[in-house]
Amino acid sequence: MDVTSTPRLLWCSLVSLWNQKNSVRTIAFLYARPKYAFKENPDRELIFDYTQGDWKLCEPAFLPPYFRGGLQKTNFISIGYEYDQIKRLLYKFEADSNFFIYSNPGFQPSYTTLAEKTITKIKNVFEVPDRKFMAFAVNDFVGLYQTLTTKIAETSQQTGSNSLIVGAGSKIHSLALLFCAFDNPEASLRIRVPTRYNEVSTGWAEGIEGIIAENVFCPV
């Protein structure tokens, strides 16, 4: 499955169907490394024009939400560079605790810098301590999956705790979050969906990332 340009909600829903039906034994995910060309406004601030409008958080099809009715709410959010959208999301889905997953290093040094700037803004505006930020290489599916699955399980075991997983960052990180949701059915997964996608020309850097999942959806 090529997840390079496919919207997250679409492939998350399809993979959730395969997981539910136990009909696929091995699947390979492919992701071509992007080479973004961001525009600037008159103040030389970057414009992220790949999407338009505010984000909605949507549930993947075939992955029903889980509500425990607890009072303690924890969000695990993978983020990218769009600080303004993330800020609105945090105000709208206020939680007792937020953990942020971001790409460091990114596919290019400039992407790592953009991620760090976003993190700095969140720290300053929302007064989030350093321990609530989790940095993983943009292509580190395994490390993120293993670490976050354990963290979500520990949080969900707390009495009266609700966990929400939000995929709003890189595609590979969003894929890891999807598999974390499979392993933690007591946590709910939401995928960020913009009002619309814009057709923007994107170059490609050398290399394609490949992730192979075996014996996940169908027992041996």
Side-chain angles (χ1 to χ4, degrees):
M1 173 182 286
D2 187 347
V3 299
T4 304
S5 299
T6 309
R8 293 168 181 79
L9 186 62
L10 179 58
W11 54 258
C12 280
S13 297
L14 183 57
V15 175
S16 297
L17 173 61
W18 293 338
N19 178 62
Q20 187 180 94
K21 296 297 184 179
N22 287 332
S23 59
V24 176
R25 176 162 294 176
T26 301
I27 181 172
F29 298 95
L30 301 178
Y31 182 74
R33 298 178 182 178
K35 192 173 183 180
Y36 297 119
F38 298 118
K39 299 178 183 177
E40 293 183 342
N41 64 18
D43 296 324
R44 299 191 62 80
E45 296 174 332
L46 294 180
I47 300 173
F48 304 101
D49 58 353
Y50 287 79
T51 63
Q52 184 174 323
D54 287 343
W55 290 351
K56 296 187 298 182
L57 294 186
C58 298
E59 307 154 4
F62 312 108
L63 189 65
Y66 182 90
F67 298 103
R68 299 180 65 176
L71 300 178
Q72 184 77 16
K73 298 179 181 179
T74 301
N75 292 335
F76 297 90
I77 310 172
S78 70
I79 61 176
Y81 318 130
E82 301 103 325
Y83 168 73
D84 289 338
Q85 295 283 20
I86 297 166
K87 178 179 66 175
R88 295 188 189 102
L89 186 152
L90 293 174
Y91 282 133
K92 187 175 182 180
F93 297 92
E94 186 174 354
D96 299 285
S97 181
N98 289 301
F99 289 89
F100 300 92
I101 301 100
Y102 67 102
S103 299
N104 187 348
F107 283 126
Q108 297 190 34
S110 59
Y111 301 165
T112 303
T113 300
L114 287 174
E116 291 289 351
K117 287 182 178 179
T118 303
I119 292 303
T120 299
K121 290 180 180 179
I122 293 174
K123 287 181 179 179
N124 293 339
V125 174
F126 294 94
E127 299 181 346
V128 182
D130 290 340
R131 62 184 177 84
K132 296 295 184 73
F133 293 91
M134 306 167 66
F136 290 88
V138 67
N139 58 351
D140 187 5
F141 170 88
V142 174
L144 173 54
Y145 163 73
Q146 293 177 338
T147 301
L148 195 59
T149 292
T150 301
K151 184 66 177 177
I152 293 172
E154 292 173 349
T155 302
S156 299
Q157 289 171 4
Q158 299 174 11
T159 303
S161 177
N162 275 329
S163 295
L164 179 65
I165 308 169
V166 180
S170 73
K171 290 285 185 71
I172 296 178
H173 283 187
S174 296
L175 181 62
L177 265 60
L178 174 62
F179 278 77
C180 287
F182 291 157
D183 284 356
N184 293 276
E186 69 281 1
S188 295
L189 175 67
R190 298 292 186 278
I191 302 299
R192 67 98 166 138
V193 178
T195 302
R196 60 167 292 176
Y197 292 93
N198 295 328
E199 186 175 348
V200 180
S201 178
T202 302
W204 307 108
E206 292 185 2
I208 295 178
E209 300 295 329
I211 298 169
I212 298 177
E214 294 183 334
N215 303 322
V216 175
F217 309 112
C218 183
V220 177

Short mmCIF file of all heavy atoms in Angstrom, two decimals, residues 22-27 213-220:
data_model
loop_
_atom_site.label_atom_id
_atom_site.label_comp_id
_atom_site.label_asym_id
_atom_site.label_seq_id
_atom_site.Cartn_x
_atom_site.Cartn_y
_atom_site.Cartn_z
N ASN A 22 -9.44 -10.07 9.74
CA ASN A 22 -8.34 -11.05 9.78
C ASN A 22 -8.10 -11.68 8.41
O ASN A 22 -7.94 -12.90 8.28
CB ASN A 22 -8.63 -12.15 10.81
CG ASN A 22 -8.50 -11.65 12.23
OD1 ASN A 22 -7.75 -10.73 12.50
ND2 ASN A 22 -9.24 -12.25 13.14
N SER A 23 -8.11 -10.86 7.37
CA SER A 23 -8.05 -11.39 6.01
C SER A 23 -6.72 -11.18 5.31
O SER A 23 -6.53 -11.63 4.19
CB SER A 23 -9.16 -10.74 5.17
OG SER A 23 -9.00 -9.33 5.15
N VAL A 24 -5.78 -10.48 5.95
CA VAL A 24 -4.49 -10.19 5.33
C VAL A 24 -3.38 -10.62 6.29
O VAL A 24 -3.42 -10.28 7.48
CB VAL A 24 -4.34 -8.69 5.00
CG1 VAL A 24 -2.96 -8.41 4.45
CG2 VAL A 24 -5.40 -8.27 3.99
N ARG A 25 -2.43 -11.39 5.80
CA ARG A 25 -1.34 -11.85 6.66
C ARG A 25 -0.14 -10.91 6.60
O ARG A 25 0.50 -10.64 7.61
CB ARG A 25 -0.92 -13.27 6.27
CG ARG A 25 0.28 -13.80 7.05
CD ARG A 25 0.39 -15.31 6.97
NE ARG A 25 -0.74 -15.93 7.64
CZ ARG A 25 -0.95 -17.26 7.66
NH1 ARG A 25 -0.14 -18.05 7.02
NH2 ARG A 25 -1.97 -17.75 8.30
N THR A 26 0.21 -10.43 5.41
CA THR A 26 1.38 -9.57 5.25
C THR A 26 1.01 -8.36 4.40
O THR A 26 0.33 -8.49 3.39
CB THR A 26 2.54 -10.32 4.56
OG1 THR A 26 2.89 -11.46 5.35
CG2 THR A 26 3.76 -9.43 4.41
N ILE A 27 1.47 -7.19 4.84
CA ILE A 27 1.21 -5.97 4.08
C ILE A 27 2.46 -5.10 4.11
O ILE A 27 3.13 -4.98 5.14
CB ILE A 27 -0.01 -5.20 4.63
CG1 ILE A 27 -0.26 -3.94 3.80
CG2 ILE A 27 0.17 -4.87 6.09
CD1 ILE A 27 -1.55 -3.24 4.15
N ALA A 213 4.50 -5.36 7.63
CA ALA A 213 3.85 -5.94 8.80
C ALA A 213 3.45 -7.37 8.47
O ALA A 213 2.72 -7.61 7.50
CB ALA A 213 2.61 -5.12 9.17
N GLU A 214 3.95 -8.31 9.26
CA GLU A 214 3.67 -9.72 9.01
C GLU A 214 2.92 -10.32 10.18
O GLU A 214 3.17 -10.00 11.34
CB GLU A 214 4.96 -10.51 8.78
CG GLU A 214 5.71 -10.12 7.51
CD GLU A 214 6.95 -10.97 7.30
OE1 GLU A 214 7.48 -11.48 8.32
OE2 GLU A 214 7.38 -11.14 6.17
N ASN A 215 1.98 -11.22 9.85
CA ASN A 215 1.23 -11.96 10.86
C ASN A 215 0.56 -11.03 11.87
O ASN A 215 0.50 -11.30 13.07
CB ASN A 215 2.14 -12.95 11.60
CG ASN A 215 2.81 -13.93 10.66
OD1 ASN A 215 2.21 -14.37 9.69
ND2 ASN A 215 4.07 -14.25 10.93
N VAL A 216 0.07 -9.89 11.38
CA VAL A 216 -0.60 -8.93 12.26
C VAL A 216 -2.12 -9.13 12.18
O VAL A 216 -2.79 -9.25 13.20
CB VAL A 216 -0.23 -7.49 11.85
CG1 VAL A 216 -1.02 -6.50 12.68
CG2 VAL A 216 1.25 -7.26 12.04
N PHE A 217 -2.64 -9.15 10.96
CA PHE A 217 -4.09 -9.20 10.80
C PHE A 217 -4.63 -10.64 10.79
O PHE A 217 -5.80 -10.85 11.06
CB PHE A 217 -4.50 -8.52 9.49
CG PHE A 217 -3.91 -7.14 9.33
CD1 PHE A 217 -2.95 -6.90 8.36
CD2 PHE A 217 -4.27 -6.13 10.17
CE1 PHE A 217 -2.40 -5.63 8.22
CE2 PHE A 217 -3.73 -4.87 10.05
CZ PHE A 217 -2.79 -4.62 9.07
N CYS A 218 -3.79 -11.56 10.46
CA CYS A 218 -4.25 -12.96 10.33
C CYS A 218 -3.28 -13.85 11.11
O CYS A 218 -2.11 -13.90 10.77
CB CYS A 218 -4.33 -13.39 8.88
SG CYS A 218 -4.96 -15.06 8.63
N PRO A 219 -3.73 -14.56 12.14
CA PRO A 219 -2.83 -15.41 12.92
C PRO A 219 -2.18 -16.48 12.06
O PRO A 219 -2.76 -16.96 11.09
CB PRO A 219 -3.75 -16.04 13.97
CG PRO A 219 -4.94 -15.13 14.02
CD PRO A 219 -5.09 -14.57 12.63
N VAL A 220 -0.96 -16.84 12.41
CA VAL A 220 -0.23 -17.88 11.67
C VAL A 220 -0.91 -19.23 11.90
O VAL A 220 -1.28 -19.55 13.02
CB VAL A 220 1.23 -17.95 12.16
CG1 VAL A 220 1.96 -19.08 11.45
CG2 VAL A 220 1.92 -16.63 11.92
#
